[in-house]
Amino acid sequence: MSLRQREVARRLFAKELNESTLFYKEHEDTYAPQYLLTPTGAKCNRVFVVGTLTEKENVGVDSDYWRARIADPTGVFPIYAGQYQQQAVTQLSAIEVPAFVAVIGKLNVFHANDGPVKVSIRPEFINVVDSETRNRWVLETAEKTLARIDRLRRDGEDVAKARDYYGTDASLYVGVVIEAVKALKKEYET
Amino acid sequence: MNLKELAEQISARFLEQGVKVPASEIEQRLHSLFYDFKVPIEEATRSVVSYYSKLHPKQESASATEVSYTKITDISAEDKWINLRARVVQLWEPNSPSIAQVGLLGDETGTIKFTSWSNANLPILKDGQSYSVRNVVTKSWQGRFSVSLNKASEIVPLDEEVAVGRAEEEIAGAIIDVQSGSGLIKRCPECSRVVVKGYCAEHGKVSGVYDLRIKGVLDNGEVVTDVLFNRELTERLTGITLAQAKEMAMEALDQNVVADAMKAVIIGRYYVVRGNKTPRWLLITDFKEPAQIKEEDIGTILERAQELL
């Protein structure tokens, strides 16, 4: 295949992303895509998240380098955008905090000096959205997370790898989903 | 089993193949073989079947050479020789002189791209006509199948029309990207190809005609689909009309402002789209916003979560 298949944008909550540390490549090739395998077995290269932009700051010295935080009901996604994410930098600088935003991006990993592995999102696109879109993302992500937890009990390469590496406590992530969805309930009570 | 029953069975089997042999006649032969010639019943059966098969050779040979046709949806491997009964759904302009024809063939189950090579010297396929297309080879490119019509292929027009399954598909997901070549574009007045920097790939320097389109990427977290919106749907999707788009581009002295404005409206939002499948694109025929979230939707997810605890 001369053209690589486009990577699917996975859906996961901040809590799960922040507990993910297993990065790997499927083959040695320099240009081989890097994946993050999460505790529930999501194999992510690209993600789609929707949440609240709560902080943004240009921390670059010579050039733009934006750091931002996007909160979902379970935690915070760290975002970093530099000179190679020009589109996202332009968008981020224009959006007022707080705002509901959708972010499409690839995952980044950095090891602080002997510290723990930290995962962040390198955004390709950031856009302001309405609250219905944000809530829809919460429900969609809840569904996808539950489906992964269900699969975690069965067989499968990624599933086995995630179980072995994290010793995943499924009930913990079911709890995360319940918290996230319950928070929405009031808004839609009739 | 007695001879009468056996004879009836054999008769029925012949009837299935369109051959009428009276059971009484079969029974008589069986009787003679079994009782008069002391042949075991299996051998007697075999003898009778063989006798009548030879008496009716036409049907026998016809069933032996009967062509089996593959349904388009069943194509699952490349480099396979197959036969199709299909209708020409679309013809595209070949982009190379080595290709005589390129387009889409369809049957009840779906559509598939075909390429007829110039050196195969095959009859020219007519748009909308149904054919029996024999000895074509399956190919795969970027995960999509196509068929290649070659020197060994046989094309016979059919009198009846093959119904083409509306390979319409509905998917829900978020638009996560808009590809280049979207927004305000210019088309060649001759062939409708997109004009790049004032040049049409076929007709050279032309003054293009403005049009709108969106080449989007719809992602549902499991599958990525390339979705193509035509002018009318792009206007409805983005709220930007062709007239407004032209004005925007003129004011900014830049065509790209239109695509940027459209991205700001649609990227990151959820849609339910419906369209016709082609090898590369889902050609959108209609779209809507997803139904409003209801309390029950939340309840359903909470129930499922409880089950997993």
Side-chain angles (χ1 to χ4, degrees):
Chain A
M1 244 172 26
S2 70
L3 237 153
R4 225 187 281 283
Q5 203 83 31
R6 188 188 171 91
E7 294 286 345
V8 173
R10 302 290 173 193
R11 324 290 209 246
L12 75 170
F13 287 120
K15 168 90 173 156
E16 184 171 1
L17 185 79
N18 291 325
E19 286 183 11
S20 303
T21 51
L22 180 54
F23 268 91
Y24 68 99
K25 284 185 170 187
E26 285 182 326
H27 37 94
E28 284 306 305
D29 181 359
T30 324
Y31 298 105
Q34 183 174 244
Y35 294 101
L36 174 73
L37 190 69
T38 72
T40 65
K43 185 180 150 192
C44 318
N45 170 270
R46 176 179 279 122
V47 293
F48 173 57
V49 306
V50 183
T52 312
L53 178 70
T54 56
E55 253 182 64
K56 61 163 194 177
E57 191 184 355
N58 188 354
V59 294
V61 183
D62 299 323
S63 60
D64 282 343
Y65 192 66
W66 285 80
R67 195 180 51 125
R69 288 165 67 81
I70 290 167
D72 79 358
T74 73
V76 172
F77 294 101
I79 309 278
Y80 287 92
Q83 55 172 325
Y84 298 113
Q85 293 82 46
Q86 204 47 61
Q87 187 165 246
V89 163
T90 310
Q91 291 160 339
L92 206 45
S93 63
I95 301 171
E96 292 284 331
V97 173
F100 286 128
V101 292
V103 177
I104 295 108
K106 297 243 178 171
L107 296 176
N108 227 359
V109 62
F110 58 89
H111 301 260
N113 300 330
D114 291 334
V117 173
K118 291 256 191 191
V119 181
S120 62
I121 299 174
R122 198 171 60 225
E124 298 168 320
F125 202 95
I126 304 178
N127 205 9
V128 175
V129 296
D130 55 11
S131 72
E132 178 84 2
T133 300
R134 180 266 185 190
N135 293 347
R136 190 172 299 290
W137 178 86
V138 171
L139 289 183
E140 188 191 34
T141 303
E143 277 176 359
K144 302 267 184 236
T145 306
L146 291 179
R148 288 198 299 270
I149 292 168
D150 193 27
R151 233 172 295 152
L152 210 52
R153 299 180 176 163
R154 297 158 214 239
D155 288 334
E157 201 186 323
D158 295 337
V159 165
K161 215 171 176 178
R163 260 191 326 235
D164 290 351
Y165 181 84
Y166 295 103
T168 311
D169 173 9
S171 62
L172 173 84
Y173 289 99
V174 175
V176 169
V177 168
I178 291 175
E179 287 305 307
V181 174
K182 265 192 178 160
L184 279 188
K185 220 175 160 189
K186 277 205 194 97
E187 223 176 302
Y188 293 95
E189 259 164 13
T190 43
Chain B
M1 186 184 296
N2 61 36
L3 292 183
K4 193 174 159 75
E5 277 172 16
L6 183 61
E8 274 162 8
Q9 260 185 24
I10 295 172
S11 171
R13 224 184 303 156
F14 273 105
L15 202 61
E16 269 173 34
Q17 289 168 27
V19 180
K20 260 191 202 161
V21 186
S24 57
E25 207 179 294
I26 294 173
E27 192 188 343
Q28 225 173 356
R29 288 194 79 84
L30 283 174
H31 193 277
S32 159
L33 283 159
F34 188 65
Y35 291 107
D36 304 340
F37 294 94
K38 316 286 184 217
V39 171
I41 194 72
E42 293 80 19
E43 189 57 30
T45 308
R46 188 195 158 105
S47 170
V48 170
V49 170
S50 151
Y51 174 80
Y52 286 109
S53 297
K54 277 183 192 128
L55 268 189
H56 306 278
K58 260 186 195 159
Q59 282 80 356
E60 180 66 14
S61 72
S63 72
T65 60
E66 198 174 294
V67 179
S68 84
Y69 290 97
T70 303
K71 293 288 176 215
I72 287 174
T73 187
D74 292 336
I75 295 171
S76 58
E78 60 180 318
D79 294 327
K80 293 271 179 276
W81 289 78
I82 58 162
N83 309 308
L84 296 174
R85 282 169 56 87
R87 183 146 65 102
V88 179
V89 176
Q90 236 177 61
L91 289 171
W92 304 323
E93 275 195 47
N95 54 16
S96 152
S98 61
I99 295 172
Q101 279 188 297
V102 58
L104 278 185
L105 290 176
D107 69 10
E108 314 81 62
T109 67
T111 56
I112 192 165
K113 181 187 168 184
F114 78 92
T115 306
S116 175
W117 298 95
S118 303
N119 64 9
N121 281 319
L122 292 167
I124 293 296
L125 299 178
K126 275 194 231 121
D127 201 354
Q129 169 72 42
S130 298
Y131 296 91
S132 153
V133 188
R134 286 159 63 169
N135 302 331
V136 299
V137 182
T138 61
K139 295 286 167 202
S140 167
W141 171 248
Q142 288 176 27
R144 320 258 189 192
F145 289 105
S146 62
V147 289
S148 166
L149 279 53
N150 53 68
K151 280 179 187 155
S153 304
E154 286 170 44
I155 294 167
V156 181
L158 297 171
D159 291 334
E160 70 271 26
E161 190 165 283
V162 173
V164 175
R166 284 166 25 106
E168 254 205 359
E169 214 173 79
E170 188 176 278
I171 2 169
I175 299 267
I176 63 152
D177 199 5
V178 166
Q179 299 172 29
S180 62
S182 296
L184 186 63
I185 56 163
K186 274 186 169 177
R187 291 188 184 278
C188 172
E190 301 271 334
C191 65
S192 290
R193 274 199 182 81
V194 171
V195 173
V196 181
K197 290 181 178 152
Y199 280 86
C200 165
E202 182 69 27
H203 301 98
K205 198 166 166 56
V206 291
S207 67
V209 182
Y210 278 114
D211 195 9
L212 290 180
R213 74 166 173 192
I214 284 180
K215 294 161 75 177
V217 179
L218 191 84
D219 183 310
N220 65 5
E222 312 291 335
V223 192
V224 180
T225 311
D226 290 321
V227 289
L228 191 66
F229 294 87
N230 65 15
R231 175 167 74 218
E232 184 203 336
L233 292 163
T234 298
E235 287 180 336
R236 185 150 74 81
L237 183 69
T238 62
I240 299 170
T241 64
L242 181 59
Q244 288 167 332
K246 280 197 256 186
E247 220 167 279
M248 287 163 69
M250 229 136 40
E251 227 164 84
L253 298 172
D254 181 5
Q255 226 163 284
N256 293 322
V257 295
V258 177
D260 286 343
M262 290 177 170
K263 283 180 188 174
V265 178
I266 64 171
I267 292 185
R269 295 188 58 190
Y270 290 91
Y271 296 95
V272 181
V273 303
R274 166 181 282 283
N276 292 308
K277 262 179 95 167
T278 71
R280 165 89 204 266
W281 297 97
L282 189 66
L283 306 174
I284 305 303
T285 53
D286 199 12
F287 71 89
K288 58 184 183 217
E289 302 207 350
Q292 290 272 310
I293 298 170
K294 288 187 293 292
E295 201 182 353
E296 300 95 86
D297 302 334
I298 296 167
T300 310
I301 294 175
L302 286 174
E303 271 168 40
R304 205 175 315 154
Q306 291 298 340
E307 284 165 19
L308 286 169
L309 270 179

